[in-house]
Amino acid sequence: MKYKINSLLSITLSAVIFLTACSSTKSQDANSQTNTTTKGFPFILPKEKPNRPLSRAMERNYDNYLAPRPEDNELYSQFKYTELKGFDYNDHDGTITRRDPSKVIFENGKYYVWYTYRNTPTPPKGAANSSETIPSSDWDLCEIWYATSEDGFTWKEQGVAVPRPPKPNVGWRSVSTTDILKWKGKYYLYYQGFMEASGKRGDDCPVTLSYADSPDGPWTATNKIIIPNGAKGEWDQYSIHDPYPLVYKDKIYLYYKSDFDGDPRLIRMQGLTVADNPLGPFEKNPLNPVITSGHETTMFPFKTGIAALVIKDGNEHNTIQYAEDGVNFDIASLVDLMPIAAGPFVPDAYTNTKDGRGITWGISHFTNATTWDKNHSILVRFDCDLSLDLNDPEMKKHHVYHKAAEHYKHGLSNKQKERIKSENKKLLKAKK
């Protein structure tokens, strides 16, 4: 019996020694592998910038964006679109347009939005064929209208807010592309005022203003230029477009867009002008342009600074940017399918906040509603997650997938096909 017990103890001891040796070997192998892999960049992407030599690309990933992964970046989002109910477009024949919506505000238990409205006998016919009743462009012969909604999806059109004033007042030809400011209990609509048909020289106009005690009006037009064009030879000498006011640092920060170089080589950038009073005077920032790209202006308070949707045009189009001081903007994220002429719902646009919370939805427009011979625009709703108070993983996906048919719509032009055909002929001839 003692012999059997001793034998069992001997066998057990041998097994323990064997397993311990194996475990030690595996541990050494694991340590060896760990030591080897830690010489390279870590497998788990660090949330903070690691203290190690980094490539320029990896330096950018930590220095240029709010987070190293898009889904952790509060200024990264996809954009979702929904057709709005309540607007009639005359069977989309091009005679009615709604475009360039303002920011959405919430007053009197409902949402308000203002926009460019055109109702003309014909679609736009170009500057050469325009008249007192025939528009040159989609934003010619327009008025400022407004609509209200209880849910942001179904809207009730309320009619004209700002009509075209009689000639020769600012905007007698067309008033368009408005945005709203609430300041000390009063409401102010800034908008472009055209004194000639768009396209006669370019798309030239200054900014004017109407004000009211209620978002429902009545609106009183100043009939004055509020944001003047720049001096001759300056970047904004011809156009002050897309006025976009926010209350920031106890002042009115009004961003705007202008055009370099002239038609047809337009390059659009954005400037900033600041005032203590809605009626001005406005002082343009000496660093203008403060954003080097973007077809329209769309900003909102974010944390201690200002964020901007930089849509179309320029080297930095399709980006969301951020300026901690409201002036010096840096790229915060790269995005797809941005809303065109976005007018977001910005609850803290006028609160002088030092803790901007961001945005989740708004109104934008589509300009290619039908064919260009029936050129007009339609208002749509966009949704996103650019908010510190929302976490929507669906909005943080990295890709927008299109079916093949959508890509084929963006195919070669006839001129490009002819060029390729000619190049192929030359190659075949050279071989012979």
Side-chain angles (χ1 to χ4, degrees), residues 63-99:
D63 294 342
N64 291 24
Y65 307 101
L66 300 190
R69 296 177 62 91
E71 55 265 49
D72 296 329
N73 187 341
E74 295 287 3
L75 285 180
Y76 171 82
S77 181
Q78 288 196 3
F79 297 91
K80 309 290 185 179
Y81 296 90
T82 306
E83 183 177 1
L84 296 180
K85 296 179 180 180
F87 296 115
D88 173 64
Y89 291 93
N90 207 21
D91 292 326
H92 296 282
D93 66 356
T95 60
I96 294 177
T97 201
R98 294 179 184 86
R99 57 178 295 138

Side-chain angles (χ1 to χ4, degrees), residues 259-274:
D259 303 330
F260 277 92
D261 294 356
D263 194 25
R265 298 184 67 252
L266 294 178
I267 179 74
R268 292 179 169 92
M269 296 188 183
Q270 301 180 44
L272 168 65
T273 186
V274 178

Side-chain angles (χ1 to χ4, degrees), residues 69-377:
R69 296 177 62 91
E71 55 265 49
D72 296 329
N73 187 341
E74 295 287 3
L75 285 180
Y76 171 82
S77 181
Q78 288 196 3
F79 297 91
K80 309 290 185 179
Y81 296 90
T82 306
E83 183 177 1
L84 296 180
K85 296 179 180 180
F87 296 115
D88 173 64
Y89 291 93
N90 207 21
D91 292 326
H92 296 282
D93 66 356
T95 60
I96 294 177
T97 201
R98 294 179 184 86
R99 57 178 295 138
D100 295 305
S102 69
K103 288 189 292 294
V104 177
I105 67 171
F106 190 79
E107 298 286 332
N108 304 324
K110 53 193 171 183
Y111 297 108
Y112 284 76
V113 67
W114 291 260
Y115 45 88
T116 301
Y117 176 84
R118 174 178 59 79
N119 190 338
T120 51
T122 71
K125 298 294 184 181
N129 298 315
S130 64
S131 69
E132 292 298 312
T133 57
I134 298 175
S136 65
S137 64
D138 197 25
W139 50 91
D140 188 28
L141 299 178
C142 290
E143 299 177 317
I144 305 299
W145 280 42
Y146 79 112
T148 59
S149 173
E150 293 182 356
D151 64 3
F153 292 93
T154 299
W155 292 82
K156 182 178 181 180
E157 194 155 56
Q158 302 295 336
V160 64
V162 180
R164 285 188 287 147
K167 193 174 183 179
N169 287 307
V170 179
W172 69 264
R173 175 70 193 191
S174 189
V175 289
S176 67
T177 319
T178 190
D179 201 43
I180 184 76
L181 167 70
K182 183 178 180 180
W183 177 267
K184 297 182 179 179
K186 292 184 180 293
Y187 302 85
Y188 301 84
L189 285 173
Y190 297 86
Y191 48 92
Q192 299 171 204
F194 287 90
M195 274 81 80
E196 65 176 8
S198 177
K200 289 289 188 181
R201 192 222 66 87
D203 202 12
D204 303 342
C205 66
V207 163
T208 186
L209 169 71
S210 290
Y211 57 89
D213 292 326
S214 163
D216 292 295
W219 295 89
T220 300
T222 60
N223 293 318
K224 296 179 181 179
I225 295 175
I226 301 298
I227 313 296
N229 299 97
K232 185 177 180 180
E234 294 181 345
W235 76 289
D236 56 358
Q237 65 175 328
Y238 291 124
S239 302
I240 305 290
H241 290 177
D242 293 24
Y244 192 98
L246 295 170
V247 177
Y248 183 59
K249 295 183 178 180
D250 302 314
K251 296 181 182 293
I252 300 162
Y253 273 51
L254 189 145
Y255 296 89
Y256 66 94
K257 176 196 75 182
S258 192
D259 303 330
F260 277 92
D261 294 356
D263 194 25
R265 298 184 67 252
L266 294 178
I267 179 74
R268 292 179 169 92
M269 296 188 183
Q270 301 180 44
L272 168 65
T273 186
V274 178
D276 295 311
N277 187 297
L279 300 178
F282 280 87
E283 182 178 351
K284 293 180 181 178
N285 192 283
L287 297 181
N288 281 347
V290 296
I291 298 178
T292 62
S293 304
H295 192 85
E296 297 97 4
T297 54
T298 301
M299 286 80 175
F300 53 92
F302 189 77
K303 296 184 177 180
T304 59
I306 301 292
L309 304 187
V310 181
I311 309 158
K312 298 195 301 183
D313 295 346
N315 285 327
E316 296 180 351
H317 65 282
N318 288 346
T319 63
I320 298 175
Q321 302 193 14
Y322 177 68
E324 194 168 350
D325 60 358
V327 176
N328 293 287
F329 286 85
D330 291 307
I331 295 172
S333 69
L334 311 177
V335 289
D336 296 310
L337 293 182
M338 297 190 79
I340 306 301
F345 174 53
V346 189
D348 50 11
Y350 314 124
T351 64
N352 200 37
T353 182
K354 296 179 182 178
D355 182 28
R357 307 310 296 171
I359 61 172
T360 61
W361 72 279
I363 307 297
S364 62
H365 73 218
F366 291 151
T367 57
N368 56 342
T370 53
T371 56
W372 283 111
D373 64 323
K374 297 179 180 179
N375 181 20
H376 68 290
S377 302

